[in-house]
Amino acid sequence: MSFNLRYSCLWIHRYTGLAMAAFLIITGITGTLLAFHDELDDIFNHKLAQVEKQNASHLPIAELHDKVISAYPQYAFSSMPTSIAAERSAVFSVDRARGKAAQNQPKAPFQQVYVHPYTGDIIGTRDRDEWAWHNTMWKVFWLHRDLLLGDIGKLLLGIVALVWTINCFIGFYLTFPRALKKKAQNQTSPKKRASFLKRWLPAWKIRTKSNMFKLNYDLHHAFGLWLWGILFVIAWSSVGFNLREVYQPVMHAVVGLEGRGERQENSRKPSEKAEQASGAETATRVKAVNNEVVDVESVDVVNKANSIAYLSEQANTAAQSKGMLVREFLGIRWIEDEGQWQLRFKTDRDIGKKGGASSITVNARTGSIERVNFGYQSSSFGSKADQWLSTLHMGHISQGIGHLLYQIFLALIGLAVTVLSITGVYLWWKGRQSRLKALQKGR
């Protein structure tokens, strides 16, 4: 019995697809919802997240931060938002203690504190692990990420994502037109056989006037072909999220992606320095953003009250010196061990708001810039490829109408994954019925 590559690929595609179907339906539907995570989360969590708009200006963010610390002195809150949108609460996150620090600090029964920006009153806290209506979208997220099973679910979905990635290539191959058998090739025919592309073209089409089986067959083939690129991105980036031990070495071999340890070490290096004032004046005095000259030997030049304004100005200056513009300030945090303030921001050349964001770090005592990391521009080719994969998966693309359009596209991709899974199961079921009938007739 000779080996048949196409039949073997079909068998693998069919039964691995069946094994993955339920998982892909879950992740497809939840992925559709997560494309609009922030918008839906605001609806479910409106009692905490939204406030009535007032004519007066909101209190300074530093003052709101002080009120949170006074209300919960036993927990650490090292980060602050850089701005507060109209009709929105100010949100402060509890620091996540890791390693030895986690043993010495009490674990907070919540992750976020919501503060009224006009009065400074604590509206409430949010424990995203709690089963509650206002946490609906976070439960959807964890269902999507690990099936609400923790590390076991994460590993399981990582394996599913890896098989799905391989299946992308197998499924693509199976859409190719069948090769002629040797007997048929030997037969002479007056009519010349159509080209490969002409014979492949029907796989890209959906026949509207057909029976249910043909419709499902066409949907399965056409969706898989037209959306192949983004489906591969979603599948392989899922391996990156859930099965890093496989993703990392493959990406390192293909695009030169560094390990996380290497990237953290590189990010700590003073990659860019902003121009400082010259001579002894810089060593003793710095002009702060409020136009006051401060003696750096007696007080911090950068403190909580002026940190956002000071670092924002420095970030704008650093970006402009490289021909870039700051599009959005993402957040600021205090690094107590090093006595530094760090601001994360997004330039017009950055992609995403997570690993691809830029940052600037300044010394609180002197106001001098310790390092500037332009997230995308400072990255290696491997890191850029990794950033694109994760950003396309999570939908952190563009702004305004461009972002909205990509959200809609990503939501449709989630539905397409669901359709591919359902049609795949349907085709197997109908094929199984046909095979059973054929066996019964042969008896």
Side-chain angles (χ1 to χ4, degrees):
M1 182 178 179
S2 61
F3 174 75
N4 188 315
L5 177 62
R6 186 180 186 89
Y7 179 79
S8 299
C9 288
L10 179 60
W11 190 92
I12 293 171
H13 186 73
R14 177 187 295 156
Y15 291 105
T16 55
L18 279 174
M20 294 188 299
F23 299 106
L24 292 182
I25 290 171
I26 292 172
T27 54
I29 293 173
T30 54
T32 296
L33 295 173
L34 289 173
F36 295 93
H37 176 277
D38 293 346
E39 293 81 359
L40 292 172
D41 190 51
D42 284 345
I43 295 174
F44 289 110
N45 190 40
H46 69 278
K47 290 183 179 179
L48 289 175
Q50 299 176 10
V51 297
E52 291 185 8
K53 187 177 181 179
Q54 299 183 14
N55 294 326
S57 300
H58 65 71
L59 297 175
I61 293 176
E63 185 176 336
L64 298 175
H65 186 260
D66 287 336
K67 290 183 179 295
V68 172
I69 293 176
S70 298
Y72 304 100
Q74 67 272 43
Y75 308 122
F77 298 86
S78 63
S79 61
M80 298 187 296
T82 54
S83 61
I84 303 172
E87 302 181 15
R88 300 297 301 269
S89 307
V91 185
F92 296 89
S93 298
V94 185
D95 291 357
R96 289 185 297 174
R98 295 173 179 174
K100 295 181 179 179
Q103 300 175 358
N104 302 326
Q105 295 181 10
K107 184 180 179 181
F110 51 82
Q111 294 85 35
Q112 294 175 317
V113 178
Y114 291 79
V115 185
H116 198 295
Y118 300 102
T119 65
D121 296 333
I122 304 294
I123 299 175
T125 60
R126 186 183 194 185
D127 176 16
R128 292 186 301 221
D129 296 330
E130 179 187 8
W131 284 91
W133 177 255
H134 62 265
N135 285 332
T136 298
M137 286 310 299
W138 280 103
K139 293 304 178 185
V140 170
F141 170 78
W142 288 114
L143 179 61
H144 182 83
R145 181 67 185 270
D146 61 20
L147 302 174
L148 296 172
L149 296 175
D151 291 340
I152 294 175
K154 186 177 179 181
L155 175 62
L156 185 58
L157 285 183
I159 295 171
V160 168
L162 180 60
V163 176
W164 183 20
T165 302
I166 298 171
N167 242 348
C168 284
F169 294 95
I170 295 176
F172 189 80
Y173 164 74
L174 289 173
T175 65
F176 291 168
R178 295 174 184 270
L180 283 175
K181 294 182 179 180
K182 290 183 179 180
K183 290 183 179 179
Q185 286 178 343
N186 294 330
Q187 293 177 355
T188 58
S189 174
K191 187 176 180 181
K192 187 179 180 181
R193 196 180 187 209
S195 67
F196 174 84
L197 290 178
K198 280 189 175 181
R199 288 182 287 120
W200 193 29
L201 186 61
W204 295 77
K205 297 179 179 179
I206 298 174
R207 293 166 290 185
T208 53
K209 296 179 179 180
S210 60
N211 57 38
M212 184 62 69
F213 178 82
K214 289 181 179 179
L215 177 61
N216 278 271
Y217 183 87
D218 290 349
L219 285 172
H220 195 76
H221 277 66
F223 274 29
L225 282 172
W226 284 106
L227 302 174
W228 190 91
I230 189 64
L231 290 173
F232 170 75
V233 167
I234 298 296
W236 181 238
S237 58
S238 298
V239 177
F241 293 136
N242 286 23
L243 208 62
R244 199 75 189 180
E245 53 269 33
V246 173
Y247 178 86
Q248 176 64 42
V250 173
M251 289 292 285
H252 178 73
V254 176
V255 296
L257 177 65
E258 310 99 324
R260 288 183 177 177
E262 292 179 73
R263 277 180 286 171
Q264 289 175 356
E265 184 177 345
N266 292 334
S267 66
R268 291 178 181 275
K269 295 178 181 179
S271 56
E272 302 287 346
K273 286 276 186 177
E275 293 183 3
Q276 301 292 319
S278 62
E281 182 181 355
T282 305
T284 57
R285 290 178 175 273
V286 175
K287 188 175 182 181
V289 289
N290 59 2
N291 293 323
E292 294 180 1
V293 178
V294 182
D295 186 351
V296 299
E297 295 180 356
S298 61
V299 66
D300 287 352
V301 169
V302 187
N303 52 49
K304 187 191 296 185
N306 70 7
S307 59
I308 296 174
Y310 186 89
L311 270 75
S312 297
E313 181 178 335
Q314 297 297 331
N316 279 315
T317 301
Q320 289 172 8
S321 70
K322 297 295 180 181
M324 294 182 282
L325 294 174
V326 176
R327 294 296 188 194
E328 184 181 1
F329 297 111
L330 303 176
I332 191 168
R333 71 185 181 109
W334 167 246
I335 308 174
E336 186 172 3
D337 294 342
E338 301 176 16
Q340 298 172 347
W341 287 96
Q342 184 179 80
L343 175 74
R344 295 179 67 251
F345 58 96
K346 183 179 179 181
T347 71
D348 55 348
R349 296 183 189 175
D350 287 332
I351 60 164
K353 298 180 181 180
K354 302 295 182 181
S358 298
S359 65
I360 184 169
T361 307
V362 304
N363 186 298
R365 176 65 65 183
T366 64
S368 62
I369 296 178
E370 296 295 322
R371 56 187 174 273
V372 181
N373 177 38
F374 291 111
Y376 187 74
Q377 299 301 310
S378 303
S379 300
S380 65
F381 177 77
S383 294
K384 288 178 180 178
D386 181 51
Q387 289 171 28
W388 270 110
L389 286 170
S390 60
T391 301
L392 288 169
H393 187 124
M394 294 187 290
H396 298 156
I397 294 291
S398 188
Q399 290 180 318
I401 187 66
H403 177 63
L404 176 61
L405 290 174
Y406 189 75
Q407 282 181 295
I408 295 171
F409 173 70
L410 204 57
L412 292 175
I413 292 301
L415 293 178
V417 171
T418 305
V419 170
L420 284 169
S421 301
I422 292 174
T423 54
V425 172
Y426 175 82
L427 293 175
W428 165 81
W429 178 63
K430 294 297 289 186
R432 183 174 182 273
Q433 283 187 326
S434 298
R435 289 189 294 272
L436 289 175
K437 287 180 180 178
L439 286 173
Q440 289 176 353
K441 287 181 179 179
R443 289 178 180 176

